[in-house]
């Protein structure tokens, strides 16, 4: 099928004067003020929180502390609505569609007004989202420094903090065959140099984490690929990043974000268990945790909450890219998470592990290309925040009641005594098990009661 790619990357065709947005005191989102909490609001009132009440205490902590929401810069301030079949649809009045530093500054100032009006305390970005890539590494670094100066000022002025930063090691053509897993060592070197700068910037802005998402770390054909060499190189890349982090004294937590495919056909960071296996194989398990994105989890063929549960079970859940795919589409649609059941099961895991800090719930989400109002940027985030606030309240009730937790514990109670306790302690032999079966015979059939569990969960939704 031929692709109807846009001929121009500019979203704007009108002759708007962008200069007005360069004024220090300009308001980007006119007519929208700080989003209030209004629990009695009706279904059509959309610029209010109906459930998210930042200062409300749930299980000993405020909602704001449990949820640690973050807005991502790439979708919300760089997304144009373009898709492989259509031109940009999302026109932002301050954005002239150019790659200039002026445009980058306007976007950044608009974003901090957005974070503040929404009442979200964290943001995330890729190096190349916030500042244009130059013709050379030095030029790119210089552009980045200029924009980071402004970001530093805006963070100070608003109190908004950096949840995590990351390097874009997948968009530029040089990375088409991978970054740290590229067969060409010169590309590996370039990626290393880019991450060095990314870490310096992260430290300067006080990032609480640093994410590695390996969209091109994988392959399209196994025929031209030396998998073992590529994974060894990827491990070396992480070791170098850990060494530089220590040298810098950067305190942020390193996080790998698993994804099974897209853009690569097969990505090495396939899912949570694969990444945990990779980290342990290469002795990196104490240096790196996981940033789980449920949309990637479902792409891997697992249930929405699966990787969050797995990562947390191994104390490796560092942060969450709170979004969702569309069950009827097979790719990463990065939709805002609006499903109360999913938010409830996720928040249950987060509560059980004592929170996500220094990680958070980052909205790696984009409004649909048909959601063209500026207001839609707010409505989407508000809806997702309300969904997670409901998830938090539901999960707290589930844990306070303790009924579901006790049911699961009971299911494993045979390991508390007798032969079970010996198995759990690693204190038995196959001979002993044989003898046990000979005296005790066939085990009873015990119901898994799946529907009962589903009913119990529904009770709390
Ligand atoms: C893409 C990823 C990406 C990471 C950051 O699918 O989700 O956006 O979160 O590079
Ligand atoms: Ni993500
Ligand atoms: Ni994604």
């Amino acid at each position: 099928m031929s692709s109807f790619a846009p001929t121009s990357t500019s979203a704007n065709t009108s002759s708007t004067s962008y200069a007005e947005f360069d004024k220090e005191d300009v308001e980007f989102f006119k007519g929208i003020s700080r989003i209030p909490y209004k629990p009695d609001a009706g279904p059509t009132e959309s610029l209010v929180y109906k459930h998210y009440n930042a200062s409300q205490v749930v299980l000993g902590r405020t909602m704001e502390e449990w949820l640690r929401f973050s807005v991502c810069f790439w979708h919300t301030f760089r997304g144009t609505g373009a898709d492989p079949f259509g031109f940009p649809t999302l026109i932002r009045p301050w954005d002239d569609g150019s790659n200039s530093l002026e445009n980058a500054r306007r976007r950044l100032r608009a974003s901090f007004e957005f974070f503040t009006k929404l009442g979200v305390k964290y943001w995330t970005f890729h190096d190349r989202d916030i500042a244009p890539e130059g013709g050379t590494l030095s030029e790119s670094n210089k552009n980045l420094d200029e924009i980071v100066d402004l970001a530093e000022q805006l963070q100070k002025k608003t109190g908004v903090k950096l949840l995590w930063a990351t390097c874009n090691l997948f968009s530029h053509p040089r990375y088409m065959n991978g970054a740290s897993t590229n067969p060409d060592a010169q590309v590996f070197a370039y990626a290393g140099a880019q991450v060095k700068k990314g870490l310096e910037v992260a430290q300067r802005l006080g990032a609480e984490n640093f994410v590695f998402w390996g969209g091109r770390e994988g392959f399209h054909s196994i025929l031209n690929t030396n998998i073992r060499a590529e994974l060894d190189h990827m491990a070396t890349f992480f070791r170098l990043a850990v060494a530089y982090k220590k040298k810098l004294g950067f305190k942020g937590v390193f996080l790998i974000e698993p994804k099974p495919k897209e853009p690569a056909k097969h990505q090495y960071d396939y899912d949570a268990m694969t990444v945990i296996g990779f980290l342990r194989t290469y002795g990196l398990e104490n240096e790196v945790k996981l940033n789980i994105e449920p949309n990637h989890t479902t792409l891997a063929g697992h249930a929405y909450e699966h990787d969050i549960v797995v990562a947390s079970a191994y104390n490796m859940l560092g942060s969450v890219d709170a979004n969702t795919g569309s069950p009827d589409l097979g790719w990463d649609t990065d939709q805002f998470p609006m499903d109360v059941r999913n938010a409830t099961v996720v928040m249950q895991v987060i509560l059980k592990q004592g929170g996500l800090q220094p990680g958070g719930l980052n909205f790696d989400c984009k409004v649909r290309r048909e959601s063209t109002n500026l207001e839609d940027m707010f409505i989407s985030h508000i809806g997702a925040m309300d969904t997670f606030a409901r998830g938090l309240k539901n999960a707290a009730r589930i844990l306070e009641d303790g009924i579901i937790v006790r049911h699961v514990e009971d299911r494993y109670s045979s390991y508390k005594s007798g032969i079970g306790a010996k198995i759990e302690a690693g204190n038995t032999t196959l001979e002993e098990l044989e003898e046990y079966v000979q005296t005790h015979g066939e085990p009873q059939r015990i119901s898994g009661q799946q529907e009962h569990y589903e009913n119990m969960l529904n009770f709390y939704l």
Side-chain angles (χ1 to χ4, degrees):
M1 193 189 303
S2 69
S3 153
F4 299 91
T7 47
S8 153
T9 53
S10 166
N12 298 331
T13 45
S14 68
S15 57
T16 323
S17 162
Y18 299 100
E20 73 167 286
F21 291 106
D22 291 332
K23 289 189 208 118
E24 184 71 28
D25 56 349
V26 71
E27 195 179 4
F28 293 87
F29 299 92
K30 290 206 181 75
I32 298 179
S33 37
R34 178 77 164 74
I35 306 299
Y37 171 56
K38 201 175 165 214
D40 54 352
T44 56
E45 256 185 289
S46 47
L47 292 173
V48 296
Y49 294 114
K50 297 168 188 144
H51 300 275
Y52 179 62
N53 181 11
S55 59
Q56 187 179 325
V57 174
V58 178
L59 292 182
R61 250 185 236 173
T62 62
M63 283 198 175
E64 184 174 273
E65 286 167 328
W66 279 122
L67 297 164
R68 297 173 57 85
F69 291 128
S70 162
V71 174
C72 89
F73 193 81
W74 54 98
H75 286 314
T76 300
F77 288 89
R78 299 306 309 274
T80 64
D83 72 9
F85 301 92
F87 299 146
T89 56
L90 306 177
I91 296 182
R92 308 305 184 204
W94 57 83
D95 194 321
D96 65 14
S98 79
N99 231 349
S100 70
L101 281 166
E102 291 68 51
N103 205 25
R105 278 191 209 98
R106 285 195 294 269
R107 288 186 196 117
L108 199 62
R109 285 171 41 246
S111 75
F112 275 79
E113 183 183 316
F114 180 76
F115 309 150
T116 307
K117 286 187 166 172
L118 205 54
V120 163
K121 294 290 166 60
Y122 288 96
W123 70 307
T124 54
F125 64 80
H126 299 84
D127 49 359
R128 302 301 181 239
D129 309 331
I130 57 168
E133 175 140 22
T136 62
L137 182 67
S138 315
E139 208 185 304
S140 302
N141 288 353
K142 193 166 154 277
N143 290 346
L144 196 51
D145 284 336
E146 274 203 50
I147 297 299
V148 168
D149 285 344
L150 178 60
E152 204 172 22
Q153 285 169 31
L154 291 167
Q155 286 193 170
K156 231 176 241 153
K157 190 171 140 199
T158 59
V160 172
K161 294 186 274 184
L162 184 55
L163 185 69
W164 49 262
T166 186
C167 287
N168 181 327
L169 302 176
F170 46 90
S171 293
H172 193 282
R174 83 172 71 84
Y175 295 126
M176 66 181 187
N177 290 305
S180 72
T181 61
N182 199 297
D184 178 0
Q186 195 170 338
V187 180
F188 181 106
Y190 210 108
Q194 194 178 326
V195 164
K196 173 179 179 285
K197 181 68 182 177
L199 289 172
E200 290 160 9
V201 161
Q203 186 183 35
R204 213 179 127 196
L205 293 176
E208 300 191 15
N209 305 272
F210 191 89
V211 164
F212 295 86
W213 171 63
R216 306 246 179 229
E217 312 293 26
F219 52 82
H220 284 277
S221 169
I222 212 158
L223 295 178
N224 66 5
T225 304
N226 181 341
I227 290 179
R228 179 60 194 264
E230 293 197 357
L231 282 163
D232 285 354
H233 297 161
M234 190 161 96
T236 299
F237 194 79
F238 281 108
R239 287 196 193 106
L240 298 177
V242 167
Y244 194 64
K245 171 190 167 174
K246 289 188 176 155
K247 187 165 180 191
L248 274 180
F250 173 55
K251 293 281 175 290
V253 177
F254 276 3
L255 302 170
I256 290 181
E257 183 177 320
K259 187 174 184 179
K261 57 185 169 190
E262 197 214 90
K265 186 181 87 161
H266 177 91
Q267 281 163 217
Y268 293 129
D269 300 328
Y270 200 89
D271 61 3
M273 204 65 228
T274 310
V275 174
I276 293 171
F278 165 81
L279 292 171
R280 291 189 175 210
T281 301
Y282 290 98
L284 287 159
E285 70 273 21
N286 297 322
E287 308 291 351
V288 186
K289 290 187 160 188
L290 273 62
N291 179 42
I292 300 296
E293 178 169 320
N295 194 163
H296 299 174
T297 307
T298 51
L299 263 183
H302 303 306
Y304 185 89
E305 65 272 21
H306 176 273
D307 273 7
I308 287 176
V309 173
V310 169
S312 182
Y314 285 88
N315 298 319
M316 299 287 269
L317 179 64
S319 203
V320 172
D321 270 4
N323 69 3
T324 186
S326 185
D328 35 22
L329 283 174
W331 66 88
D332 192 7
T333 55
D334 289 329
Q335 290 173 225
F336 282 86
M338 301 288 191
D339 185 305
V340 177
R341 181 259 172 219
N342 287 346
T344 302
V345 288
V346 166
M347 286 316 298
Q348 209 187 315
V349 178
I350 292 173
L351 289 180
K352 273 196 202 152
Q353 72 162 38
L356 272 179
Q357 64 289 343
L361 297 175
N362 175 50
F363 293 120
D364 187 353
C365 313
K366 57 186 176 205
V367 291
R368 300 301 85 196
R369 80 190 291 269
E370 307 80 18
S371 300
T372 50
N373 296 338
L374 273 193
E375 267 192 7
D376 293 326
M377 294 170 69
F378 281 90
I379 292 171
S380 52
H381 284 85
I382 293 168
M385 289 163 74
D386 266 347
T387 302
F388 268 88
R390 287 173 72 180
L392 168 63
K393 288 188 277 187
N394 292 343
R397 281 170 54 227
I398 292 174
L399 295 182
E400 271 173 336
D401 277 5
I403 295 170
I404 298 181
V405 178
R406 270 200 303 282
H407 266 72
V408 177
E409 275 170 14
D410 281 353
R411 205 168 168 230
Y412 293 85
S413 57
S414 63
Y415 287 90
K416 292 278 170 284
S417 59
I419 193 70
K422 289 185 107 180
I423 294 170
E424 195 124 304
N427 194 17
T428 185
T429 60
L430 291 186
E431 292 95 314
E432 187 182 20
L433 297 182
E434 182 187 48
E435 203 186 301
Y436 182 86
V437 171
Q438 254 136 25
T439 24
H440 292 80
E442 184 63 25
Q444 254 187 293
R445 235 160 272 175
I446 304 172
S447 172
Q449 295 186 295
Q450 180 180 322
E451 301 78 5
H452 183 47
Y453 280 85
E454 287 164 347
N455 288 341
M456 285 192 288
L457 177 63
N458 279 350
F459 175 84
Y460 295 96
L461 299 186

